[in-house]
Amino acid sequence: MTDLYTEILQEVRRLPVIDTHEHLPHCDEARDQNTDILKEYLSHYMSSDILSSGMKASDFAQVIDVSKPIKERWKLVEPYWEVCRYTGYGRALDIAVKQIYGFDGINENTIEEVNQAFIRNLKPGHFKRVLKDICGIQMSLLDGFTGGLECDKSLFRRVWRPENYVVSMDCSGKIFYWLERKYGITLRTLDDWIEAFCREFEDALNKGIAALKCGLAYVRSLRFEKRSYSEASSAFKKMIDEWEKNGRKEEEDFSYPVEVQDFMMHFILGKANEKKLTFQFHTGLQEGNGNTLSNSNPLLMNNLFLEYPDVKFDLFHISYPFYGEASALCKNFPNVFIDMCWAHIISPAASRVALNDFLDAVPYNKISAFGGDYLFVDGICGHLELARQNVSHVLAHKVKEGIFTLEKAVDIAKALFYDNPLQIFDLNKVL
């Protein structure tokens, strides 16, 4: 089994990769320069495990304070880092520093030298080196937070999140004023709101977006009921009347009525259908510490899968811990796909169990093996190696059972890492 696994892994490491999901800056130049390895590597994921292990938030704030000596900060975080080192988050970082900088993990003996190497690479060209040269990633779908919808198209294609038309993910008043200034309209009715969406959607299409994304499981249930135009219109008017009564303040944050939320999600799905855009949905575990996990169960979306049979729904993160539900939905619905982005570092073991089930239950052309889902580029390298190991373990097990040959295992791996996302997101025209 070991020799079989090693042989498959060697082949898998040579395969090209389509990365289905990243949160990186839109180009090298947009990276935070006031940083170091602790601040960047603890921008998410590992920080969640460290806080979960018991570190106080006030102490964590000191750890990411770049004005303090890094050795001093390492001493503060080291006891917590050590108990998190063997989670997927911790393992990915040790792999990353070995593959990128040549050091045997992050520890007391390496932290200063690794940090110096990290600082030396805070320059243009580092994204390409990691993504292309080390990882072999042909293209990444970018759900980024810088650059509007611009990006380095040698590395990325953009994904657009139309969430602010469903739930305000920022201050509501600021969103309204920004749209009014951008499009020269006044937002007073549901029709105005729809017009703003259509105009921003058209802008996004003109900038070459590859997909849509919904991350609303962080703030509400993924169950979106079908609502009539009249009830949504009435609810929208009441919301605006209340805002105007309070002085229509730009800094005021107000909640959209659920009738508006549900109506707009269905409206947006209708537009996705018209433009044949795949829709990525965050399902399963929410990043960070503390949330309502039940909001993210993919079974809540069953009505959407039935209502929009021609929309491709890409279920993120294997819906962990609901991967059994994701598998059943993908098996049942031709328009539902499984995406293993983030999953291999959430739990490498669960990802292997889930993939073993997926390959037994689901046509393998419906599974995408990898999306780094990182805010910083180095983590992608470690995550991809864990993904390659996981896929190779599962495929080796299937070969040993006599389900398919070694040659077929490599064909399936290529489908999971490259061919499937290429087709699911219709990326042939840009590669």
Side-chain angles (χ1 to χ4, degrees), residues 4 8 395 398-399 402-412:
L4 184 59
I8 292 174
L395 292 175
K398 300 287 189 187
V399 173
I403 295 173
F404 42 69
T405 65
L406 174 62
E407 292 74 22
K408 188 61 181 177
V410 176
D411 288 344
I412 292 172

Side-chain angles (χ1 to χ4, degrees), residues 33-188:
Q33 297 296 306
N34 181 33
T35 191
D36 64 11
I37 199 163
L38 284 183
K39 181 182 176 184
E40 181 153 301
Y41 280 24
L42 292 176
S43 58
H44 66 161
Y45 296 153
M46 189 60 164
S47 58
S48 299
D49 277 356
I50 284 172
L51 291 169
S52 182
S53 74
M55 188 174 207
K56 293 179 181 178
S58 56
D59 289 337
F60 180 79
Q62 295 183 55
V63 172
I64 60 173
D65 183 353
V66 296
S67 69
K68 295 180 170 59
I70 196 161
K71 194 81 169 182
E72 174 186 314
R73 291 149 54 208
W74 174 255
K75 284 292 186 185
L76 187 59
V77 77
E78 185 178 23
Y80 304 96
W81 193 291
E82 288 304 321
V83 298
C84 300
R85 183 178 296 280
Y86 306 107
T87 68
Y89 295 164
R91 286 156 62 186
L93 299 183
D94 278 342
I95 293 168
V97 299
K98 186 172 185 63
Q99 292 194 354
I100 299 170
Y101 304 113
F103 291 89
D104 190 19
I106 303 172
N107 54 57
E108 180 183 10
N109 298 320
T110 65
I111 184 63
E112 290 181 305
E113 288 183 276
V114 171
N115 186 53
Q116 290 167 8
F118 172 87
I119 296 296
R120 286 195 298 272
N121 283 275
L122 278 174
K123 58 185 179 181
H126 188 62
F127 276 15
K128 178 184 177 297
R129 178 179 170 236
V130 173
L131 296 174
K132 296 278 193 180
D133 303 339
I134 297 176
C135 292
I137 294 172
Q138 301 296 301
M139 185 64 62
S140 299
L141 297 187
L142 182 62
D143 176 17
F145 303 113
T146 66
L149 287 175
E150 301 302 324
C151 63
D152 179 347
K153 290 194 174 179
S154 70
L155 303 174
F156 307 119
R157 285 298 181 276
R158 276 284 191 175
V159 171
W160 183 49
R161 301 173 68 145
E163 298 165 327
N164 279 324
Y165 292 96
V166 182
V167 175
S168 58
M169 302 298 281
D170 195 353
C171 173
S172 310
K174 288 182 179 177
I175 293 167
F176 274 61
Y177 271 89
W178 180 83
L179 287 168
E180 288 182 335
R181 286 191 287 263
K182 183 176 179 65
Y183 295 113
I185 57 178
T186 301
L187 297 170
R188 285 199 169 88

Side-chain angles (χ1 to χ4, degrees), residues 255-316:
S255 298
Y256 306 164
V258 67
E259 296 89 350
V260 174
Q261 296 179 29
D262 290 351
F263 176 86
M264 287 303 300
M265 176 52 72
H266 282 267
F267 182 84
I268 292 167
L269 281 163
K271 292 298 181 181
N273 187 29
E274 286 179 16
K275 300 299 182 180
K276 305 303 178 190
L277 280 173
T278 302
F279 215 136
Q280 301 177 324
F281 272 79
H282 177 107
T283 58
L285 182 73
Q286 300 100 337
E287 212 282 296
N289 300 94
N291 209 311
T292 306
L293 187 54
S294 57
N295 280 345
S296 64
N297 190 323
L299 291 178
L300 295 166
M301 299 173 63
N302 204 134
N303 64 320
L304 302 182
F305 305 150
L306 288 166
E307 184 77 19
Y308 303 96
D310 295 324
V311 174
K312 292 179 183 177
F313 291 86
D314 189 50
L315 302 183
F316 269 15

